[in-house]
Amino acid sequence: IKSDGVYVVIGCGAVGLIALLAAKTLGAETVFAIDPVEHRLELARSFGAIGISDPDSALAIIQQHSHGRGADAVMELVGLPAAQKLAFDLLRPGGTISTIGCHCEGNYAFSPVQAYDKNLTYRTGRCPARHYMDRLIQPALDGVFKQLQPLISHRFHLNDGVRAYEVFANRRDNCVKAVLDIDGN
């Protein structure tokens, strides 16, 4: 992350919003957030991103803000071929795509030859959560991550797990992240 770079987050669910916050924390001044769901874009804007609700207009907007170069890095957090193709299209030559969305399709949205020609770096993988747990527990208990509170939009009692999943999976009631609590608070 460089302060003068142009960065893009595709998908503003909880993971995308955390990626946006991480980019801002690491010094990115210009971060675009792309998501068709308006309440998620509002959260992204509240975290300092420039919101784009229409993926079809994203390329023109990114090109305008990068003097025709394209984004230095794109974080793709959706896991669908259309999002992967959009990430590729928005990226400048020599840029980096990082994807956390699990791509389960048989083919990628771009070929190895296209990746080679664009000289891109493609990073994917699961978060090594166990590695970070011990390092993050105390800061979490100390309230360091209070800015993440808006991401937890719904709380359910542990016994309401099925309903919680239904609300989350179907994006009901502007759900960003549902949390199960023993006491429901």
Side-chain angles (χ1 to χ4, degrees), residues 26-102:
L26 292 171
E29 292 177 13
T30 305
V31 180
F32 291 88
I34 302 172
D35 197 298
V37 180
E38 189 56 38
H39 76 272
R40 295 183 346 179
L41 267 186
E42 283 305 313
L43 275 172
R45 289 181 185 110
S46 76
F47 294 151
I50 301 165
I52 301 173
S53 60
D54 177 19
D56 293 334
S57 66
L59 182 58
I61 294 168
I62 302 302
Q63 290 292 322
Q64 177 185 3
H65 279 82
S66 66
H67 308 290
R69 212 178 65 233
D72 295 289
V74 179
M75 294 164 273
E76 189 274 297
L77 302 137
V78 177
L80 296 174
Q84 190 181 60
K85 174 78 167 92
L86 180 60
F88 181 84
D89 291 344
L90 297 177
L91 190 69
R92 69 167 172 78
T96 300
I97 295 175
S98 295
T99 184
I100 296 174
C102 181

Side-chain angles (χ1 to χ4, degrees), residues 74-148:
V74 179
M75 294 164 273
E76 189 274 297
L77 302 137
V78 177
L80 296 174
Q84 190 181 60
K85 174 78 167 92
L86 180 60
F88 181 84
D89 291 344
L90 297 177
L91 190 69
R92 69 167 172 78
T96 300
I97 295 175
S98 295
T99 184
I100 296 174
C102 181
H103 286 273
C104 299
E105 298 292 324
N107 297 309
Y108 270 50
F110 53 88
S111 73
V113 171
Q114 290 171 305
Y116 177 83
D117 287 345
K118 201 165 199 171
N119 195 31
L120 71 80
T121 298
Y122 187 82
R123 299 187 56 94
T124 188
R126 292 188 175 119
C127 173
R130 297 291 303 157
H131 171 77
Y132 291 105
M133 286 176 80
D134 290 338
R135 293 169 41 189
L136 295 174
I137 289 174
Q138 194 58 51
L141 293 172
D142 292 343
V144 170
F145 305 117
K146 287 195 185 297
Q147 65 188 7
L148 299 178

